[in-house]
Every structure is written in C-alpha cells, then in structure tokens.
Amino acid sequence: MNTEKTTEPSLPPERRHLFRTGLLVKLGFIGGFVLLVAGILIGVAAARGGLPGFSLFEKHQVAESSVVFENMRDLFVFDTVEYVETVVFPFDFMPEGMSGASILGRVSSANPQFNLASDVLKLASDPKAGLLPEERLYLKALQIANDAGLRFASPQREFVPVTVVVRAGFDVSGTPFAQGYEKEPAEKHKPLGDYFKTETIQPGQTGRLGGTRAVLRLPPLTITDIRIEDKAATPGPDVPLTPAGWKIISALVASDAKSRASNAGIIDEARKNAESFLRGLLLEAGFDEVRFE
Amino acid sequence: VVLCSVCSCGVQKPVDYEALQSRLRSVLQVHTCEYVYKDISYLAESEKFLWMIPTADRKLLYSVKVRVRAGLDVSKGLHVRPLGSNADRQQASGQQQSRGTKSIEVILPPPCVLLVDADEASIHQYFSEEYGGRMNVSVWQSELEKVKARIAADAVKRGILVKAEANAHTLIKALLGAAGFDDVRFVQSEDVPASSAPVPGVKP
C-alpha cells in the first residue's frame, strides 16, 4: 500500500530539498516586493506630509551665510505715499486672448531680420517691431519665465506672486536743508531762503486781520524708491526658483510697476500729502497761513 | 481686423485709473540714514531614499546686498510747540529786553528701522547645482529673512538709530530755522518707546 503523501510531488530527496528551497526563495521575493511597495507608499505619504516624523527619504540641509558691512550714507528723503501691488508672474503679463505664437508669427512675417529663437527680448524692446505695449510685455514675460526655468504651461502651471512697492516724496539731500541751520553767519542759512520765505499778511488782505504767511517751494516730488518684497507674496506655491531667476522676474515687475504707479497719480498724491503735512506743522508752529509755490 | 493685425495698429487696453489709485497709501516717513551690507549665502540640500540611494543634491551659492534704512515714522506723530521769543519771556519776567530768539519745541517719535530690504538687482548667483531639481524659492527666501533679522540687529548695534536721529534733527532744524526759529528743542514722544518700534520685513 502506497502511504506516501500526495501534497508534494514524488521527487527524490535531493530534488525535494531543491523544490522547498526554491519555494522559500520565491516567497521571500514576493514578501520583499510587498514590503518594498509598502515602503515606497509610506515614504511617498510621509514626503507629502501624511506621516509626520517618518520618512523613507532622509533629508539633509546646510545653510551658512557671511554678512559684511559695506557702507553707510546719510539720507534726507521724505516719503509721503506708496503704491503697493501684487502681481502673479507670468500670468498677469499674459492677457487672455493673446498668445506668444500669434505675436511671433505676425512679427516674424513683417520682420524677417529677427531670429525668433534668440532675439525675443530684443524684439520685445525694439520699437521698429511694431508691437503693442502689452505684446512687448507678453514677450518679455515669456522669455523671462523661460530663462528663470518657470514651468508655467500646463500641466505644471508654476507661478510666483510678487509684491512691488513704489514710493514717492521728495529728496532734499542736495539742498541746503541737508546742511542744517546756523543762525550766524547769515550766509550759512541764506540758501534756505530759496525754499522758504515768510511774509507779513497786511490787514484786510485775503480777509484776514494780519499775521504771518509761510511761503514754501518744495523740491521736486519724485519716485524715491522701488522695491520688491523679499518674500514671494502669499498665498502662492513653493516653486523651484533660484535667486538668479527671482532677480530677472523682479526686474521686469519693478520696471512695469513704475509706469503703473505714475498712471495712478503717485506724484500728485505725494505732493498733496507733503503739502498737507507741512501746512499742519507750520500752522501748529504759529503761522497764520501757508502757501506753496 | 486683418489690416490692424498686419499693421500692428491695434487699440491699446484702456488704463483703469481708479483701480490703480486704490493701490496708493499715505505714508509719512523721513529716511535719514542707510547702511548697506553684503550677504553671501551657501545652501545645500540632499535627499536619500532608504538612507542610502541619493535622490537629490542641490547646492546654491549667491550674494545679495541688503540695505537697512532708519529714520522717523512721522505718522506716529510729530508736533511742534512755539515757546515764544526769549525777548517775550524776558519782558514777561521783567528782565531787560535783548535781541529776540524765537524758540520752538519739537515732539518727535523715536527713530526706528524703517526698512530692511534685499536689493534684487544686486543678486549674484555663483552657482546652482541642481541634481534632482532646483531649490525651492521658500528655502533660500526663509534663510534670507533670518539673515535680514541679524543685519537689522547689527545696524542698530552700530548706531544707525543714533545717526538717523541726528540727521532728522538737522533736517527739522533747517526747516524751522528757515521759518525763523533759531532755537529748536527736541523732545521724544513717550507714546512709542524706541525698543518696541517695529522693524519692517523682520518678524518679531
């Protein structure tokens, strides 16, 4: 009577040993593979913030900086207004219904001398190319986004919100106000008279009983500063972008903001605020009337 | 339309002046001193999968100039109080009248750091090693914010506030001197102590 178990094939003992070993190896591989897949999934989940404190990815960061004091300077700048704008680069420079291909196609047929592969920035700033201001900006933004390595096209859709601050007021650095005031000798404070005079108001003049009038000539009101906020404005994605890329994006945003701040009437507003502040101060100082020339 | 597109004589988009004007904000700041620093930063990031397989290795070296400006935030209050001429005062106290010197008291806010700003135009990138992708903007920008805080503290230590206050006095003296006040006395307003004045761009 054959009493041999039928669960294993009837093999010679040495083959049976090999069969069992092979089975164990296969099971080991399957188990290892399952563990590896699980590990990858856990690692990816942890990398995406799913499992705090655990990751199969080891991260190491080094940050070192050396700061050197370079120079100092005296300033005599009075800022009275600021223009603040946050732009989404590059999409704010790419109006709907406009496409780079159509602009370049149109311009290349009219200007065959341009090498569109390398001259996009040149083309964008050449008045002979016959582009509208928005089209120029579009091309500049397109080129700069590419140079900065920003993958703004679908599906990545990378963008950077940038906040720009334009300030206006007056700078008296080159005027006698920066030299201070000394009563004696009179030559020392004479130049101040070009900017500030006092007059006696005759009784009856402008309906007043009399008094003193301050007459001021303000130095030219100008844009005193344009700066980009150093941190990308929030909310915004954390995009791969180096300082060199940030530099060229900032330059475009800053140059474009200057014209928009001017259109917003920043200089007029700066004058209004400066006059209002000085008028208040001089009335408080005892003048009866303040006039700006 | 075809003619216009060929001739590039399209109509420019009208400027929305009202929307632009809404972005204007009044400020009253007198900037009287500026310190400039140069920051050279090195950042490195590496990632390994299962602690042994390198998946990313990024290195970045760049420099940027950071300017610190100090002065007076006049919106916190600047007031003047004429004290009359010493001739009036002497007359009132029965003294013999001498040549009149008009005096005025100026109540000023304390000087403060008004701006700490990295100048983007001065950025110089020495290299950027990008194995596994470029470094994210938040990585180097958050390091820059830390550097800016250090720089602001150093500028205060080097006396930027003292210098800014002295220059502000020069400017105000010139203005009031031209207005006929020969004797200008400065008093610091008590409302905002200098130590608590916020440093823009630097988190407390």
Side-chain angles (χ1 to χ4, degrees):
Chain A
M1 194 176 175
N2 190 1
T3 56
E4 205 173 328
K5 289 179 185 170
T6 53
T7 49
E8 281 185 12
S10 53
L11 295 167
E14 66 276 11
R15 296 285 305 273
R16 197 180 300 161
H17 177 71
L18 277 176
F19 173 79
R20 283 181 181 166
T21 312
L23 196 65
L24 280 173
V25 169
K26 280 178 192 166
L27 284 172
F29 268 117
I30 292 167
F33 180 72
V34 169
L35 279 175
L36 186 68
V37 170
I40 290 170
L41 290 175
I42 292 167
V44 169
R48 287 166 172 250
L51 294 171
F54 177 77
S55 172
L56 290 180
F57 289 92
E58 185 193 53
K59 278 192 178 181
H60 186 62
Q61 276 193 338
V62 176
E64 283 167 19
S65 66
S66 156
V67 175
V68 186
F69 174 73
E70 285 213 321
N71 59 63
M72 63 89 58
R73 66 179 178 131
D74 293 330
L75 295 173
F76 295 94
V77 177
F78 188 20
D79 287 340
T80 58
V81 70
E82 69 181 10
Y83 172 88
V84 183
E85 183 185 35
T86 297
V87 297
V88 178
F89 183 86
F91 300 122
D92 273 343
F93 295 86
M94 299 177 166
E96 243 177 88
M98 201 179 270
S99 87
S102 67
I103 300 170
L104 293 174
R106 178 164 57 77
V107 174
S108 66
S109 56
N111 303 275
Q113 73 272 23
F114 284 113
N115 173 11
L116 294 181
S118 60
D119 290 351
V120 174
L121 272 182
K122 203 171 141 192
L123 172 72
S125 39
D126 191 334
K128 286 180 203 157
L131 291 169
L132 292 172
E134 302 95 90
E135 290 175 329
R136 276 197 209 116
L137 262 181
Y138 188 109
L139 291 185
K140 278 184 190 169
L142 194 73
Q143 184 68 50
I144 285 168
N146 280 328
D147 291 349
L150 212 59
R151 295 165 301 173
F152 60 91
S154 183
Q156 288 90 355
R157 292 285 182 195
E158 289 176 354
F159 64 91
V160 202
V162 186
T163 300
V164 60
V165 181
V166 183
R167 284 197 161 189
F170 53 82
D171 184 352
V172 294
S173 304
T175 70
F177 287 104
Q179 310 303 320
Y181 176 81
E182 279 177 51
K183 193 178 177 186
E184 301 292 345
E187 288 72 36
K188 284 247 179 183
H189 65 259
K190 223 174 177 180
L192 288 170
D194 292 343
Y195 296 90
F196 200 120
K197 286 177 199 143
T198 52
E199 292 173 352
T200 306
I201 306 170
Q202 299 302 323
Q205 192 184 348
T206 63
R208 285 187 173 275
L209 294 173
T212 323
R213 179 190 296 127
V215 183
L216 270 88
R217 183 169 69 83
L218 289 182
L221 275 290
T222 53
I223 286 180
T224 52
D225 194 33
I226 302 176
R227 70 184 162 87
I228 298 289
E229 292 283 354
D230 296 329
K231 277 190 96 165
T234 49
D238 192 10
V239 294
L241 183 67
T242 60
W246 178 252
K247 178 183 178 174
I248 53 174
I249 291 171
S250 301
L252 177 70
V253 173
S255 68
D256 186 46
K258 191 179 175 182
S259 64
R260 281 212 288 272
S262 299
N263 281 338
I266 193 169
I267 299 293
D268 288 343
E269 197 67 18
R271 179 182 302 282
K272 221 185 288 174
N273 286 351
E275 288 183 359
S276 161
F277 170 74
L278 290 170
R279 179 173 283 113
L281 191 75
L282 292 168
L283 290 176
E284 211 175 64
F287 285 93
D288 300 291
E289 206 177 298
V290 181
R291 187 161 60 84
F292 292 93
E293 282 186 336
Chain B
V1 172
V2 171
L3 188 67
C4 273
S5 64
V6 171
C7 302
S8 305
C9 59
V11 181
Q12 270 193 49
K13 206 172 136 188
V15 179
D16 186 351
Y17 291 101
E18 272 185 32
L20 291 176
Q21 277 167 358
S22 68
R23 293 173 188 150
L24 289 175
R25 271 196 317 222
S26 292
V27 289
L28 288 171
Q29 290 185 351
V30 185
H31 294 236
T32 53
C33 190
E34 182 179 82
Y35 283 10
V36 179
Y37 290 78
K38 185 174 183 177
D39 163 46
I40 302 170
S41 285
Y42 172 75
L43 295 136
E45 264 189 338
S46 60
E47 272 176 20
K48 281 179 183 166
F49 178 61
L50 291 174
W51 303 275
M52 62 181 105
I53 306 160
T55 53
D57 188 13
R58 306 175 188 108
K59 292 184 181 90
L60 175 67
L61 179 68
Y62 76 99
S63 72
V64 64
K65 290 193 176 176
V66 178
R67 60 197 177 124
V68 185
R69 281 185 167 195
L72 303 179
D73 187 350
V74 180
S75 62
K76 286 182 180 152
L78 188 152
H79 298 283
V80 291
R81 196 164 52 204
L83 301 172
S85 67
N86 63 2
D88 299 338
R89 289 198 299 276
Q90 282 163 358
Q91 203 172 23
S93 60
Q95 292 173 14
Q96 197 182 356
Q97 191 171 333
S98 64
R99 194 173 63 88
T101 301
K102 280 172 79 182
S103 300
I104 194 163
E105 191 175 73
V106 182
I107 301 124
L108 287 173
C112 60
V113 173
L114 297 168
L115 177 75
V116 186
D117 180 56
D119 178 11
E120 282 76 16
S122 71
I123 289 174
H124 176 66
Q125 188 172 296
Y126 296 94
F127 61 77
S128 172
E129 295 283 341
E130 297 168 355
Y131 172 67
R134 270 166 295 139
M135 197 172 277
N136 275 4
V137 67
S138 69
V139 175
W140 62 268
Q141 281 187 343
S142 58
E143 285 305 320
L144 183 59
E145 288 301 306
K146 290 179 199 164
V147 171
K148 278 166 62 182
R150 266 170 48 204
I151 287 176
D154 184 80
V156 172
K157 212 165 121 189
R158 282 175 189 266
I160 194 170
L161 296 181
V162 177
K163 185 71 184 154
E165 188 172 37
N167 285 350
H169 287 185
T170 301
L171 189 61
I172 294 166
K173 260 187 182 173
L175 177 73
L176 294 172
F181 295 97
D182 304 314
D183 177 26
V184 182
R185 298 167 195 185
F186 293 98
V187 178
Q188 201 170 89
S189 68
E190 301 283 315
D191 302 340
V192 191
S195 56
S196 72
V199 177
V202 178
K203 283 180 186 169

